[in-house]
Amino acid sequence: MNTVTVDDHAAHHVSFVRRYLFSLDHKVIAKQYMLLSAAMAIIGGGSSYLIRWQLAWPETSIPGWGPIGPDNYNALITMHGTIMVFFVAMPLLLGAFGNFLIPLMVGAEDMAFPRLNATSFWTLFVASCVLVSSFFVPQGPAAAGWTSYAPLSDKAVYTGVTWGQDLWILAVALEFASFMMGGINFLVTALNLRTRGMRLMRLPLLVWMEMTAAVVFLLSVGPLVAGAVMLLLDRAAGTSFFQPDRGGDPLLWEHLFWFFGHPEVYVVALPGFGIMLEILPVFARKPIFGYRTIVYSTIAAGLLSFIVWAHHMFVSGMDPRLASPFSVTTIMISVPFAIIMFAMIATLWRGSISLASPMLFALGGIATFLIGGVTGIFLGSAATDIYLHGTYFVVAHFHYTLFPVVFFGGFAGLYFWFPKMFGRMMNETLGQIHFWISFFAFNGIFVPLFLVGIGGSPRRIYELSSYDMLKPLQPLHVVATVAGIALLLAQIPLIVNAFYSMVRGPIAGRNPWHANTLEWTVDSPPSHPNFTVPPRVYRDPYEYSIPGAAEDWMAQDAVAEADLRAAGR
Amino acid sequence: MSAGVEPAGVAITERDTIGKIPPGKIAVWWFLASEIMVFGTLMGAYILFSFAHGDFAADGAHVKWRLGAFNTLVLVTSSLTMIMALASARARNLSRTRLFLLATVLLGITFLCVKGYEYTTEIDEGFTPSTSIFWSFYFGMTGLHGLHVIGGIVINSILLVAALSRKPWDILERRIECAGLYWHFVDVVWIFLFPLLYLT
Amino acid sequence: MNEAGGHLESARDDRTLYVIVWAILVLLLVVGLTIFVLPIPREAAVTLIFGVAAIKAALVLRNYMHLKREHLLIYAIVLIPTLFLLGFAITLIPDIVFRHAM
């Protein structure tokens, strides 16, 4: 059997290109994913600025940009959604944190397939380039919504967009390929490369979440790949899959999209929860409450996610007999998530809570996700959804679920693992400022939008002043936009903090947070190889404040005196 | 040695694995699971549409089932040569391994040639992807399958080159097994595609 | 790795099995084509032909892809997507088959 000895790594010298550009090291690749998601977030966030300005002060010239018309607006909302879900959320939560942490947390040297790992990143990079290039082609980028419903997306004449829509399909297809590769890598690594003693039920919950997300993604993406092929053929080869006048069925697209689309949001959400679940015990100095329950709930949520998709289609014209079953399954899926939320709160109960930046973001994520989850119940029940579908209520709901896991969860992770990734601590004051302004700004955007939605305002409409009944709601849009600008500005402390601390922050030791999981047993940043000796795991990941122990934490690979004696050594 | 072939660090037997399945093999199976969803969706959509539209049989009468049957024979035989390549690799017989890999590649190319001939004659006869929903499915599904065949031919050719340049046996054997799984899957898809499009 | 002698023996058995399976696959292809050309009712023909295809696929999966010797996990990896697909297709019947037919 081929074994790679540790010395080989130390011996050979790699060029700049191999070391930083086409690196096979999972830690470098993770940072590449992070950088890519940050770059795409600027575009995604920028587009949200334009959207919000247009809604608050319609038909004005947007500072720093100019006026936008209805077609531009549709393109903006399409690209905002597509970029945020596929090119910010997934690269950050799966690509960056998954890649960096899974090998370290399971005690492995690297991912199971390092070259596949690099390929998956560069595929995503190409996909990002394809998507960004669509801004510059004639007739502009895709404008049929991130959901790209047929027949709007099916014939160029309906949106006026030609190249842009095709490039969108290509970019999304490449993104799928990238995460298929990444997902397989995660699964095989977590299942096959666990170090001695790292039983499945000793895995940190983040690894469980990433694994479940990988399985859910792999099994749900197929139908949309098929759909994307069909859509592209409709546009480019004259087929008629989604054209009703030629024997096709536009509703098929919706089914295909949402069969993937719904599990996809859990693919994004679960790793975000995983990050919060790693942080809570550390900053409450308490074991996780209900580890096994959380694992089983995660698996249940993953399975259920495949049978709820048509709740996005209650008013689509689909067979009404499907409404009740899908309402039932959708209400059911709130149960495992509620269980996870309760477990998180129980973890905090009577803990020694320290409100450092990572913890603030984790708590902020939990609080805001609760609102998102609860408002989902109104949308999951077909009766209320008939009124709320396509309104700003939906927009507020999904921002109250996605934002908590991606923004609050993602930044919680950044503040938490920054010392491990870069060897230096971030500035705590700037972190607090970043959190508090962001938290209030975020709520300031989307609470008004719930009210706008309940007031009956449809979404995806560039300018609402022609609807008399919506005029009283306009001040809410202004509040939301002001809050939105505040949110964007609140990211400045983060950017300053991150880049400054990377080079001038105080040196972090191996384990500045006194946490138990294996990544905290190696250097900050981890040297090459990760582990000079493969670690041996003896305990569960969340043994904090164990009575009788010398410290209030116990690393997973720590052997207690009592255990040694019991083993007769 | 290269960093990507083995899990870097410690050999598999020292780690907690599930069923001791080699990582490459389980990776291919996960990929195939995803592919099952892709092709299954297309086939399922086709079946549902065929129930919805009564005229699929009439359209379908114009496909060349004899050529399709021949192609089925070609692909099934290529599955045999592929598994024989693996068996030869297991028996450490280099010349037979190369021979069977070459045969698989050639049979794959034959399949594509026949498909290409079918496409050109059908288009000449006036049946294009835009003719009807049946033809949309026909060209779409066989086209996607054909792309997978091309991918398989590329992979098998790379393996052939590896076999020609005397890679270590255990690496070669594992790669042939993984490539074989993919190739057999492409065959299984055709096993369903052929009756679906040609015989109903 | 098997011992050298037993290894070669079982390898030869394997190769024989592979050829036999191939022969059965070709035979089943002929059977399927025969059913196709026979003047029997369409529904019956279609059912039989798909049955034949299923058997062929099972043969390839079991013998060429070694599913019969593989771990439960791999069975699950094949079975679960297939079940999802069936559920998906069945759920779509009301919409695609009944309501949107031309």
Side-chain angles (χ1 to χ4, degrees):
Chain A
M1 195 72 78
N2 235 8
T3 51
V4 175
T5 58
V6 164
D7 308 293
D8 296 307
H9 293 283
H12 71 266
H13 171 77
V14 275
S15 67
F16 177 87
V17 169
R18 275 303 299 279
R19 194 199 194 81
Y20 292 113
L21 215 52
F22 295 112
S23 173
L24 300 180
D25 183 342
H26 70 103
K27 304 180 286 292
V28 175
I29 294 175
K31 291 173 189 170
Q32 290 174 321
Y33 270 108
M34 203 177 256
L35 202 60
L36 181 65
S37 93
M40 294 303 272
I42 293 173
I43 305 177
S47 58
S48 72
Y49 161 69
L50 297 175
I51 295 167
R52 284 275 15 121
W53 189 284
Q54 164 63 21
L55 288 167
W57 300 292
E59 307 291 357
T60 58
S61 176
I62 302 174
W65 186 265
I68 61 175
D71 293 333
N72 292 351
Y73 183 82
N74 294 341
L76 279 171
I77 55 164
T78 304
M79 297 303 271
H80 171 75
T82 307
I83 288 174
M84 288 308 205
V85 174
F86 291 132
F87 293 92
V88 175
M90 293 197 47
L92 180 66
L93 294 178
L94 284 109
F97 287 114
N99 255 312
F100 190 84
L101 293 166
I102 292 178
L104 286 170
M105 283 182 163
V106 304
E109 271 316 301
D110 203 315
M111 283 289 181
F113 308 107
R115 281 179 306 192
L116 189 69
N117 205 7
T119 309
S120 69
F121 170 75
W122 287 107
T123 307
L124 186 68
F125 182 81
V126 170
S128 311
C129 292
V130 169
L131 192 71
V132 170
S133 76
S134 73
F135 278 107
F136 302 106
V137 295
Q139 283 95 49
W146 88 285
T147 50
S148 192
Y149 280 1
L152 181 67
S153 59
D154 202 70
K155 284 193 187 173
V157 66
Y158 291 148
T159 50
V161 175
T162 51
W163 287 97
Q165 195 71 40
D166 300 307
L167 288 173
W168 181 93
I169 297 173
L170 186 60
V172 171
L174 283 170
E175 191 262 2
F176 287 167
S178 162
F179 281 102
M180 275 169 69
M181 294 189 261
I184 292 174
N185 223 341
F186 285 12
L187 275 173
V188 176
T189 307
L191 290 176
N192 270 26
L193 295 196
R194 286 168 288 132
T195 190
R196 268 251 161 273
M198 182 57 83
R199 299 196 293 258
L200 282 177
M201 286 301 184
R202 279 194 182 148
L203 281 171
L205 285 167
L206 177 61
V207 181
W208 273 110
M209 296 290 179
E210 298 270 359
M211 276 203 290
T212 311
V215 173
V216 168
F217 183 82
L218 282 170
L219 292 179
S220 66
V221 80
L224 188 55
V225 171
V229 169
M230 297 203 272
L231 187 65
L232 195 59
L233 286 175
D234 268 13
R235 291 180 62 88
T239 53
S240 52
F241 294 107
F242 305 120
Q243 293 169 9
D245 50 332
R246 294 170 57 208
D249 191 351
L251 207 60
L252 178 65
W253 169 266
E254 285 199 45
H255 277 295
L256 293 178
F257 182 88
W258 287 117
F259 184 86
F260 161 73
H262 196 84
E264 160 71 3
V265 307
Y266 296 128
V267 169
V268 170
L270 290 175
F273 286 141
I275 293 174
M276 296 177 205
L277 287 163
E278 291 304 320
I279 290 172
L280 292 180
V282 176
F283 290 90
R285 309 314 288 170
K286 254 192 84 191
I288 272 276
F289 184 92
Y291 175 95
R292 275 176 189 258
T293 310
I294 295 176
V295 171
Y296 298 141
S297 298
T298 305
I299 296 173
L303 278 168
L304 281 170
S305 72
F306 283 93
I307 54 172
V308 297
W309 81 89
H311 66 231
H312 298 270
M313 297 167 62
F314 285 138
V315 297
S316 63
M318 76 173 179
D319 194 313
R321 290 170 293 185
L322 293 175
S324 288
F326 277 102
S327 294
V328 169
T329 53
T330 306
I331 306 294
M332 275 168 61
I333 203 172
S334 65
V335 173
F337 282 104
I339 292 175
I340 295 175
M341 299 260 99
F342 287 140
M344 286 178 172
I345 296 171
T347 303
L348 293 170
W349 183 255
R350 293 197 168 193
S352 293
I353 298 186
S354 136
L355 291 177
S357 302
M359 184 62 151
L360 277 178
F361 276 94
L363 293 175
I366 296 172
T368 44
F369 189 87
L370 278 167
I371 298 176
V374 164
T375 51
I377 311 253
F378 296 104
L379 295 169
S381 167
T384 38
D385 186 72
I386 289 173
Y387 178 73
L388 294 169
H389 177 93
T391 66
Y392 273 94
F393 191 91
V394 178
V395 176
H397 157 74
F398 67 66
H399 280 91
Y400 260 100
T401 47
L402 285 174
F403 205 89
V405 297
V406 179
F407 181 94
F408 289 112
F411 282 131
L414 179 67
Y415 283 96
F416 187 55
W417 281 294
F418 187 96
K420 181 58 57 184
M421 290 184 181
F422 300 104
R424 294 174 182 270
M425 303 298 289
M426 288 181 92
N427 181 286
E428 184 57 31
T429 312
L430 287 176
Q432 301 261 336
I433 295 174
H434 177 214
F435 171 75
W436 286 110
I437 302 182
S438 298
F439 182 78
F440 282 110
F442 165 72
N443 284 288
I445 303 174
F446 292 105
V447 166
L449 291 187
F450 274 126
L451 299 171
V452 169
I454 295 173
S457 174
R459 60 187 278 215
R460 289 175 165 160
I461 295 187
Y462 118 106
E463 201 266 303
L464 301 148
S465 64
S466 47
Y467 301 97
D468 279 338
M469 73 167 194
L470 300 178
K471 284 203 164 70
L473 301 170
Q474 192 58 22
L476 290 168
H477 274 296
V478 176
V479 172
T481 300
V482 171
I485 295 173
L487 180 66
L488 288 174
L489 293 173
Q491 308 314 306
I492 296 176
L494 166 76
I495 298 170
V496 167
N497 194 355
F499 286 109
Y500 180 84
S501 305
M502 245 182 247
V503 289
R504 291 291 196 90
I507 304 274
R510 283 188 166 196
N511 197 349
W513 309 119
H514 294 284
N516 290 347
T517 40
L518 286 179
E519 78 271 24
W520 301 106
T521 64
V522 300
D523 290 333
S524 302
S527 52
H528 194 54
N530 289 342
F531 302 95
T532 41
V533 173
R536 174 55 166 103
V537 168
Y538 296 98
R539 45 191 77 253
D540 294 339
Y542 304 113
E543 296 196 2
Y544 294 99
S545 301
I546 303 299
E551 306 254 341
D552 72 344
W553 60 284
M554 261 199 248
Q556 281 194 275
D557 66 345
V559 186
E561 282 299 313
D563 295 335
L564 277 174
R565 279 198 296 273
R569 277 185 223 116
Chain B
M1 88 301 347
S2 52
V5 177
E6 275 296 300
V10 184
I12 291 176
T13 47
E14 289 188 40
R15 295 187 181 264
D16 289 356
T17 68
I18 298 222
K20 304 278 190 280
I21 308 171
K25 187 144 79 161
I26 198 145
V28 176
W29 276 112
W30 277 114
F31 174 64
L32 294 183
S34 210
E35 292 274 72
I36 290 174
M37 297 301 287
V38 177
F39 280 106
T41 300
L42 284 170
M43 290 194 224
Y46 175 87
I47 293 173
L48 293 177
F49 270 83
S50 71
F51 282 117
H53 297 260
D55 50 354
F56 266 35
D59 277 323
H62 295 280
V63 291
K64 290 147 185 45
W65 64 269
R66 291 173 189 81
L67 287 177
F70 174 73
N71 253 354
T72 311
L73 181 64
V74 166
L75 221 51
V76 162
T77 311
S78 77
S79 255
L80 174 68
T81 55
M82 190 74 205
I83 196 71
M84 295 297 263
L86 178 62
S88 309
R90 290 222 164 110
R92 303 292 188 252
N93 188 327
L94 191 61
S95 56
R96 280 186 143 208
T97 307
R98 291 172 182 168
L99 185 69
F100 282 121
L101 281 175
L102 180 64
T104 312
V105 169
L106 291 175
L107 286 166
I109 294 175
T110 309
F111 179 91
L112 289 176
C113 291
V114 173
K115 203 85 211 81
Y117 173 75
E118 275 183 86
Y119 280 170
T120 40
T121 29
E122 275 148 4
I123 292 173
D124 277 342
E125 288 168 12
F127 300 111
T128 65
S130 39
T131 306
S132 76
I133 188 77
F134 168 82
W135 286 101
S136 295
F137 271 106
Y138 171 82
F139 281 105
M141 289 209 275
T142 56
L144 190 64
H145 178 261
L147 284 175
H148 282 77
V149 171
I150 293 174
I153 292 174
V154 168
I155 293 170
N156 293 340
S157 306
I158 293 174
L159 279 181
L160 183 60
V161 167
L164 288 167
S165 59
R166 295 179 174 281
K167 269 254 194 271
W169 271 118
D170 52 355
I171 295 178
L172 193 60
E173 181 192 324
R174 271 203 310 275
R175 287 183 177 177
I176 293 179
E177 183 173 20
C178 290
L181 285 173
Y182 173 77
W183 189 253
H184 296 308
F185 175 77
V186 171
D187 185 21
V188 168
V189 171
W190 183 259
I191 284 175
F192 283 111
L193 224 52
F194 170 63
L196 201 59
L197 292 170
Y198 289 82
L199 302 183
T200 51
Chain C
M1 298 291 176
N2 304 337
E3 274 66 74
H7 179 71
L8 287 172
E9 273 304 311
S10 70
R12 203 169 300 130
D13 296 336
D14 278 343
R15 291 200 289 271
T16 322
L17 174 70
Y18 297 149
V19 178
I20 293 176
V21 167
W22 173 80
I24 299 177
L25 288 169
V26 176
L27 180 66
L28 287 173
L29 174 64
V30 174
V31 167
L33 291 173
T34 315
I35 298 172
F36 175 60
V37 297
L38 282 178
I40 56 177
R42 194 165 165 263
E43 287 75 35
V46 166
T47 318
L48 282 170
I49 286 170
F50 271 101
V52 167
I55 297 174
K56 281 159 74 177
L59 280 169
V60 172
L61 275 159
R62 227 177 140 265
N63 296 299
Y64 287 172
M65 296 169 93
H66 299 126
L67 219 47
K68 70 174 183 244
R69 316 203 271 246
E70 291 290 9
H71 190 270
L72 187 64
L73 177 63
I74 295 186
Y75 267 107
I77 292 175
V78 176
L79 201 58
I80 291 176
T82 315
L83 293 173
F84 278 169
L85 267 171
L86 275 162
F88 188 34
I90 292 171
T91 310
L92 257 52
I93 289 177
D95 272 341
I96 310 293
V97 177
F98 295 125
R99 294 198 53 204
H100 295 266
M102 276 268 281

